[in-house]
Amino acid sequence: MPIRTAVVPLSEIYELRWAVLRPGLPRESAEFAEDGGPHTFHLAAYEGEEPAVLGCITVFPDPFPAPHPLSAAAFRFRGMASAPEVRGRGYGAAVLAAATRESAARGARLLWCNGRTEATGFYKSQGFSVVGEEFVIEGVGPHLVFSREIQG
């Protein structure tokens, strides 16, 4: 069945974000300061017309943290997750592709994130490059900065 993506309210993706990215931590640990921003958007991935959210991502304008000519036109994504039962079936790639299209439509020319080090292979397969050194987010683990230029 094809993967469908849609821009949705935060409430639709929050449960998956919390369950996958912050297991064992309080629910509020999955709340991001950017969630309610005026230019923030959330995307969900579904299997066909089924209502269960199987992938999610949150995107917002945020200057790139290192010198870059496109820093002012950068969007950052956070909270990208796929349900464990569909990992490796394209849901992460689908929400990332939808986030790229939507970001470009909103004026972004650079897409970046603080991604888990263990996901390096995934990000590289999606055209992202590693920028800088590994760092640790307390309670979550080792991360790297990933970035990719995008077309409008």
Side-chain angles (χ1 to χ4, degrees):
M1 195 166 274
I3 298 171
R4 174 177 60 92
T5 61
V7 174
V8 298
L10 171 63
S11 59
E12 191 151 337
I13 65 163
Y14 189 82
E15 190 67 29
L16 179 64
R17 180 202 285 179
W18 174 59
V20 172
L21 300 178
R22 302 293 194 267
L25 296 175
R27 287 181 61 82
E28 56 272 7
S29 70
E31 294 174 10
F32 303 148
E34 303 85 5
D35 281 337
H39 302 290
T40 298
F41 62 94
H42 311 279
L43 286 148
Y46 310 88
E47 186 169 24
E49 296 304 314
E50 294 296 320
V53 175
L54 299 173
C56 65
I57 193 168
T58 295
V59 188
F60 50 93
D62 194 15
F64 191 61
H68 192 286
L70 298 175
S71 181
F75 277 42
R76 178 179 171 195
F77 61 95
R78 293 187 73 180
M80 186 171 137
S82 296
E85 66 271 19
V86 297
R87 288 234 175 88
R89 291 182 34 203
Y91 287 84
V95 292
L96 188 53
T100 301
R101 289 188 302 273
E102 186 69 24
S103 297
R106 295 176 185 221
R109 297 297 168 258
L110 182 70
L111 194 59
W112 70 279
C113 73
N114 293 329
R116 293 172 192 246
T117 300
E118 66 191 34
T120 298
F122 170 76
Y123 288 118
K124 285 186 173 184
S125 76
Q126 300 301 308
F128 285 81
S129 298
V130 173
V131 180
E133 300 296 320
E134 183 178 81
F135 58 97
V136 175
I137 296 178
E138 190 174 333
V140 181
H143 280 65
L144 292 162
V145 174
F146 297 93
S147 71
R148 181 181 78 193
E149 291 185 17
I150 59 176
Q151 301 297 315

